């Protein structure tokens, strides 16, 4: 028997081992960071350095979460609602989501067709991940929410753009039909639109979904801003479509905007039971469940007074009505009137710079943060959030005017 003693590796030799560069998986290497979050990070960095930054880039309500919702969260902690819950959310929350849609839209869903998640972003990732495989085509209308194509890339699918700029960014069944391919499997719809603020009319939405279903596609309807629409437009949801169409539609929603609960991270899906079941399976292995305390707060948001929603909508309307004429008064800028959400999406091609160049100039010279339209597939535009005070909007427009005047 050998009695040889192994010699320990010298410490200096161990530390000399080179560390290989991390090789990200192809599905991640093909993705890029969210430009909307990147703009907010740059604004925060300047603010920490002492700059007076006016942030018109963030898609986040400037209102506090309503007091009744905050109180419900505190009571949840005191009452011990701090444990794991079912992966798809508690029965009470799922029923509250069903009841809210029944009250608002006359829709009839059962809790088995509902999933609660850590924001609508997780809902959309779950939905795409459970449906799309390598080689599948996903139709994404332009302009698009920044996460849509990245989620498709992560799932191994191929993004097919639905072009709408030649029709003033209005999504139509004709535009969808022109984009269809032999491998089309999913259509993403976002109404009211982030970033344009435009709304797909109910009759056009039905035509679009009917076309998609007739060609064997599934549909995700992102309705995170469905409660924030301006007269004469009325709130409308894909849950109001005929049952023959809804069986291939998944509605993605969020409490983040409607109830100023961005940091609480509660979103939801309503859709076909088997799709919800598959999404629940994925979620059970990723986040387990949405935060238990946030779920209790969400129940209060959905079942309690809805007065705060109307109050926020009125404030957004007042800001919109001031901002759009002010933008159209700037040299080289034109802007359509948003019908929903809280974003303006001006065309700045007349300013003589690319939208990314102008975004940089505004941030560096005027300390105004906006998001370039390139992030949404619409170069030559900017997205400005008016989820901020009228005072800040007025100051921001004057700073933008100063930069444009020096070009």
């Amino acid at each position: 028997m050998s009695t040889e003693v192994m010699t320990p590796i010298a410490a200096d030799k161990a530390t000399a081992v080179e560390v290989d560069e991390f090789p990200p998986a192809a599905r991640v290497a093909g993705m890029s960071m969210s430009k909307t979050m990147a703009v907010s990070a740059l604004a925060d960095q300047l603010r920490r350095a002492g700059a007076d930054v006016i942030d018109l880039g963030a898609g986040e309500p400037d209102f506090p979460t309503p007091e009744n919702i905050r109180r419900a969260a505190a009571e949840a902690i005191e009452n011990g609602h701090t444990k794991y819950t079912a992966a798809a959310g508690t029965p009470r929350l799922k029923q509250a989501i069903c009841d809210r849609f029944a009250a608002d839209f006359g829709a009839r869903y059962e809790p088995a067709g509902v999933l609660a998640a850590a924001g609508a972003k997780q809902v959309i990732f779950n939905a795409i991940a459970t449906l799309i495989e390598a080689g599948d085509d996903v139709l994404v209308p332009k302009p698009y929410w920044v996460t849509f194509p990245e989620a498709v890339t992560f799932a191994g699918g191929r993004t097919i753009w639905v072009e709408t700029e030649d029709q003033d960014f209005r999504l139509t069944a004709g535009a969808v039909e022109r984009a269809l391919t032999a491998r089309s499997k999913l259509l993403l719809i976002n109404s009211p639109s982030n970033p344009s603020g435009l709304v797909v009319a109910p009759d056009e939405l039905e035509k679009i979904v009917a076309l998609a279903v007739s060609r064997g596609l599934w549909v995700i309807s992102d309705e995170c801003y469905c409660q924030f629409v301006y007269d004469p437009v009325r709130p409308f949801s894909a849950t109001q479509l005929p049952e023959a169409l809804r069986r291939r539609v998944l509605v993605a929603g969020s409490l983040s905007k409607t109830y100023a609960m961005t940091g609480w991270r509660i979103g939801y899906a309503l859709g076909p039971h088997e799709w919800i079941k598959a999404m629940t399976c994925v979620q059970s292995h990723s986040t387990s469940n949405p935060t238990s305390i946030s779920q209790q707060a969400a129940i209060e948001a959905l079942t309690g007074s809805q007065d705060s929603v109307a109050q926020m909508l009125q404030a957004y309307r007042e800001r919109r009505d001031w901002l759009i004429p002010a933008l159209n008064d700037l040299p080289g800028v034109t802007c359509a009137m948003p019908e929903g959400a809280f974003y303006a999406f001006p065309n700045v091609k007349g300013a003589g710079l690319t939208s990314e160049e102008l975004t940089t100039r505004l941030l560096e010279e005027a300390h105004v943060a906006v998001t370039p339209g390139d992030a949404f597939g619409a170069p030559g535009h900017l997205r400005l959030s008016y989820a901020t005070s009228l005072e800040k909007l007025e100051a921001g427009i004057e700073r933008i005017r100063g930069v444009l005047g020096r070009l």
Side-chain angles (χ1 to χ4, degrees), residues 45-280:
Q45 184 178 341
L46 281 172
R47 198 176 288 112
R48 288 194 301 271
D52 176 21
V53 177
I54 296 177
D55 189 357
L56 306 181
E60 181 170 35
D62 59 320
F63 299 98
T65 303
E67 194 273 337
N68 64 309
I69 301 173
R70 302 197 308 269
R71 186 173 62 248
E75 291 174 355
I77 295 172
E78 292 299 323
N79 293 331
H81 292 287
T82 56
K83 306 294 185 181
Y84 291 129
T85 74
T90 65
R92 283 189 63 208
L93 175 55
K94 293 199 291 183
Q95 187 62 57
I97 293 168
C98 293
D99 293 345
R100 184 77 266 150
F101 271 76
D104 291 345
F105 303 112
R108 294 290 180 263
Y109 280 82
E110 300 173 356
V114 177
L115 173 137
K121 188 174 289 187
Q122 186 181 28
V123 166
I124 291 167
F125 257 86
N126 287 349
I128 293 174
T130 53
L131 179 69
I132 298 304
E133 299 181 281
D136 289 336
D137 288 347
V138 179
L139 273 56
V140 177
K142 289 183 177 180
Y144 50 80
W145 181 47
V146 296
T147 294
F148 286 162
E150 306 302 335
V152 173
T153 296
F154 185 81
R158 183 177 67 151
T159 298
I160 303 296
W161 305 119
V162 180
E163 301 290 346
T164 64
E165 188 166 4
D166 62 348
Q167 49 200 41
D168 299 323
F169 293 138
R170 289 201 174 276
L171 181 64
T172 64
V176 172
E177 187 167 25
R178 288 190 292 273
L180 286 168
T181 70
R183 304 201 66 167
S184 296
K185 192 171 186 179
L186 174 66
L187 168 66
L188 292 169
I189 301 174
N190 177 209
S191 178
S193 166
N194 173 9
S196 74
L198 295 179
V199 174
V200 180
D203 58 344
E204 192 65 34
L205 180 64
E206 184 166 348
K207 291 177 185 177
I208 292 168
V209 175
L211 170 66
V213 171
S214 72
R215 301 296 180 87
L217 275 68
W218 299 81
V219 178
I220 296 175
S221 179
D222 177 350
E223 302 180 2
C224 288
Y225 299 90
C226 69
Q227 293 296 341
F228 291 149
V229 296
Y230 310 106
D231 289 336
V233 179
R234 307 304 302 165
F236 185 81
S237 168
T239 60
Q240 295 171 269
L241 294 173
E243 172 61 27
L245 300 181
R246 286 195 293 118
R247 58 190 176 85
R248 276 185 170 261
V249 176
L250 183 116
V251 170
S254 171
L255 275 68
S256 293
K257 320 298 183 180
T258 308
Y259 301 102
M261 293 178 67
T262 52
W264 300 74
R265 308 313 303 137
I266 293 290
Y268 54 81
L270 300 98
H273 290 193
E274 291 304 311
W275 201 350
I276 293 293
K277 183 178 178 181
M279 292 167 63
T280 302

Side-chain angles (χ1 to χ4, degrees), residues 358-378:
L358 182 55
T359 296
T360 300
R361 292 281 294 268
L362 292 176
L363 189 57
E364 292 180 348
E365 298 178 20
H367 292 161
V368 175
V370 300
T371 309
D374 309 64
F376 311 98

Side-chain angles (χ1 to χ4, degrees), residues 254-334:
S254 171
L255 275 68
S256 293
K257 320 298 183 180
T258 308
Y259 301 102
M261 293 178 67
T262 52
W264 300 74
R265 308 313 303 137
I266 293 290
Y268 54 81
L270 300 98
H273 290 193
E274 291 304 311
W275 201 350
I276 293 293
K277 183 178 178 181
M279 292 167 63
T280 302
C281 179
V282 170
Q283 185 161 293
S284 73
H285 292 292
S286 57
T287 57
S288 293
N289 58 269
T291 303
S292 60
I293 299 159
S294 293
Q295 289 189 63
Q296 291 296 113
I299 292 169
E300 173 60 26
L302 293 163
T303 62
S305 171
Q306 303 297 298
D307 290 349
S308 63
V309 180
Q311 292 165 4
M312 285 188 280
L313 177 61
Q314 177 61 29
Y316 293 145
R317 187 198 321 273
E318 293 171 358
R319 297 168 185 179
R320 179 201 67 156
D321 291 349
W322 180 88
L323 177 61
I324 305 308
L327 284 168
N328 281 306
D329 191 49
L330 295 173
V333 177
T334 59

